[in-house]
Amino acid sequence: MSSKEERRRIVEGYASSGMTRREYCAKHGIAVSTLDYWRSKRKPKLVRVAIKGVLGEQPSEPGFTLTLGNGRRIESSWRFAEPDLARLIRAAEA
């Protein structure tokens, strides 16, 4: 059984590795389901976001750019309802 510190290191290493779950797990000798379980037990990190534009004004262009913690970006001209956008973020961070 791995120590809590080792599990944390593996989960954080995966997040910054740029590898697929399968590749990363093979490299570290753990099952994908184990990595998924360890990741599910972590508390999500809150990040500060900034909304560009003047308060009370509608944005001149619809859409958004979302920059994830691993540096990946999602850009879209679509508008999303808040629950849909939250699902998109969770899926992108998985």
Side-chain angles (χ1 to χ4, degrees):
M1 184 51 99
S2 302
S3 71
K4 198 173 204 178
E5 179 62 25
E6 185 179 0
R7 290 189 302 254
R8 183 194 59 76
R9 182 185 53 77
I10 288 172
V11 169
E12 288 178 359
Y14 165 69
S16 63
S17 72
M19 298 174 146
T20 66
R21 291 180 3 254
R22 191 171 285 165
E23 291 169 337
Y24 191 80
C25 290
K27 179 179 178 182
H28 292 279
I30 61 172
V32 173
S33 59
T34 300
L35 177 64
D36 290 344
Y37 177 76
W38 291 348
R39 290 176 64 214
S40 74
K41 293 301 178 187
R42 298 211 44 198
K43 293 180 182 173
K45 293 180 184 177
L46 299 177
V47 296
R48 183 174 300 276
V49 298
I51 300 173
K52 295 181 181 178
V54 179
L55 189 61
E57 289 184 9
Q58 290 291 339
S60 59
E61 297 178 18
F64 63 93
T65 300
L66 174 66
T67 305
L68 304 175
N70 60 10
R72 293 182 177 150
R73 293 169 43 120
I74 298 173
E75 296 184 28
S76 175
S77 60
W78 300 345
R79 291 186 185 264
F80 287 91
E82 188 174 329
D84 295 331
L85 184 56
R87 282 198 336 257
L88 171 64
I89 292 168
R90 283 193 304 272
E93 287 285 313

